[in-house]
Amino acid sequence: MPSDKSVDLRSDTVTKPGAAMRSEMAEAEVGDDVFGEDPTVNALEARAAELLGKEMAVFFPSGTQSNLSAILTHCQRGDEMLVGDHYHSFHDEAGGASALGGVAYSTLPVQEDGSLDRDHITAAVRSDDPHYPRTRLLCLENTTSGRAVPTAQLSAAAETAREFGLRVHLDGARLFNAAAELKETAACIASVADTVSVCLSKGLGAPAGTILAGRGEFEYAVRRNRKILGGGMRQAGVIAAAGLYALNNNITRLAEDHGRAARLADELSALPQGSLAELSQATNMVFVTPHESDLEPLHRFLARRGVMIGNRRPTMRIVFHLGITDEGVTEAANAFREFFENDHSTSAQ
């Protein structure tokens, strides 16, 4: 359990609401959201739809449920979705589309920039044959592994899918990070997709919640699927208020997280030559691959110094968020430097 003095770089999901956000939550006007009567939820949904350039938006408890609701909206049992082999909706959501929706996954290789290749999409679409599942949906992602996928690449993939009559869903859990990196509006990026899912509980700093936005014709199915999946909440304005605060106050500051990630990457690149096997940075994330012999000792050393890093292997993912200050960057950099410059490492001696 990290202490309040820890530099917690495990994920941007570890953020905690500050005083201003908590005040909005405490004072939120509420009603029964399943009846459509929670004014704060309604305000959040309207604001999200506006920012994403969509006709409607629906508030969900989680991103996994939001993505699954979108898939169930676009696909029937026995249908197939195309998705990147490293994308969250395939790799990290417990096979929910298959387990609960009877939807088959067809995975495509993710390109170096995080996009999907048009030729791979074309080759994966099945012909109309009773032996095969019906290909119905393309699932995209932005950001992916921290990389902001160029909108032109997303658009090209979406256009290819539509040539075959497929719908397009965009898992935009960190869409506003992508927008900050690409210097585009979230609406511009979201325009490539029929539906888009955006997390409020990552870099935006809300304690819970995700938005699923899209064309108005999908709203009934989205809300019905949310109910089927157990996502219908009652006086949800208490948490929706946090999401509304996040959308109104925490979008423009995302660039600060990107800047701190870039600063740490610069600090780590100055370590003694050969200290790290690989190092890269994208948006609010830094990816560090130690030499195998250093992996466990480095994790333990950082933990003793109060620097919390996720347990991914062999590459450590370091994620910046609103809970990390400039001083936190310095503490993390100093901990890495002390490990490699004071013979704690076996490979960098």
Side-chain angles (χ1 to χ4, degrees):
M1 180 71 66
S3 72
D4 290 340
K5 295 182 179 180
S6 297
V7 180
D8 196 341
L9 298 166
R10 292 173 297 168
S11 175
D12 46 8
T13 61
V14 302
T15 58
K16 297 178 181 179
M21 182 179 285
R22 286 178 182 272
S23 177
E24 293 292 320
M25 296 170 71
E27 299 298 324
E29 186 179 359
V30 299
D32 192 318
D33 181 45
V34 174
F35 294 159
E37 296 175 355
D38 190 303
T40 308
V41 173
N42 294 341
L44 169 63
E45 292 175 344
R47 177 63 171 145
E50 175 189 25
L51 287 171
L52 296 170
K54 298 299 185 185
E55 296 171 343
M56 67 85 187
V58 178
F59 183 46
F60 278 79
S62 75
T64 294
Q65 190 179 85
S66 173
N67 280 334
L68 181 53
S69 179
I71 293 166
L72 297 181
T73 295
H74 298 309
C75 298
Q76 301 298 313
R77 299 188 72 84
D79 286 347
E80 175 185 67
M81 57 182 273
L82 308 181
V83 60
D85 56 5
H86 296 308
Y87 287 176
H88 199 279
S89 52
F90 165 69
H91 197 267
D92 296 287
E93 296 184 4
S98 294
L100 301 180
V103 178
Y105 296 97
S106 177
T107 59
L108 307 179
V110 176
Q111 305 302 297
E112 185 64 30
D113 64 359
S115 68
L116 300 180
D117 185 84
R118 298 185 68 158
D119 290 340
H120 292 160
I121 296 170
T122 298
V125 177
R126 298 181 190 269
S127 58
D128 187 4
D129 186 300
H131 296 87
Y132 306 146
R134 297 170 298 181
T135 310
R136 285 288 184 260
L137 176 67
L138 174 67
C139 285
L140 300 173
E141 185 173 287
N142 202 14
T143 64
T144 180
S145 297
R147 292 166 295 188
V149 182
T151 305
Q153 297 292 83
L154 292 175
S155 182
E159 289 171 5
T160 302
R162 292 194 175 97
E163 290 172 6
F164 295 95
L166 276 59
R167 291 177 181 171
V168 179
H169 173 64
L170 174 61
D171 179 0
R174 296 181 176 89
L175 183 70
F176 286 102
N177 289 91
E181 184 74 10
L182 297 172
K183 296 180 172 55
E184 298 178 0
T185 65
C188 175
I189 302 171
S191 68
V192 308
D194 298 296
T195 52
V196 56
S197 178
V198 179
C199 231
L200 302 171
S201 61
K202 291 187 169 70
L204 294 180
T210 290
I211 287 292
L212 179 59
R215 302 210 306 264
E217 68 191 85
F218 300 131
E219 183 169 3
Y220 177 80
V222 165
R223 291 192 183 277
R224 179 176 176 81
N225 288 328
R226 184 182 70 171
K227 185 66 176 176
I228 291 170
L229 296 171
M233 297 180 286
R234 300 299 178 176
Q235 287 70 38
V238 174
I239 53 174
L244 188 57
Y245 180 92
L247 291 180
N248 289 333
N249 295 277
N250 289 347
I251 291 175
T252 55
R253 61 150 311 280
L254 290 172
E256 298 175 22
D257 299 335
H258 299 187
R260 290 184 176 116
R263 181 186 153 202
L264 179 65
D266 285 344
E267 295 273 6
L268 297 186
S269 68
L271 290 171
Q273 186 173 5
S275 296
L276 300 172
E278 291 184 33
L279 170 67
S280 64
Q281 180 260 329
T283 61
N284 65 323
M285 300 183 187
V286 179
F287 297 90
V288 175
T289 306
H291 297 285
E292 185 176 357
S293 58
D294 288 338
L295 189 56
E296 290 296 339
L298 178 57
H299 266 281
R300 291 194 297 269
F301 183 85
L302 292 174
R304 290 197 298 271
R305 293 296 186 273
V307 177
M308 309 298 294
I309 305 293
N311 207 29
R312 298 184 181 218
R313 284 162 170 66
T315 298
M316 304 162 67
R317 189 186 73 163
I318 299 170
V319 187
F320 284 84
H321 49 80
L322 57 79
I324 304 299
T325 62
D326 289 336
E327 290 74 18
V329 179
T330 299
E331 289 181 41
N334 287 343
F336 271 95
R337 188 176 299 109
E338 183 179 348
F339 178 84
F340 286 108
E341 291 183 351
N342 292 292
D343 294 332
H344 297 288
S345 163
T346 58
S347 63
Q349 291 180 4

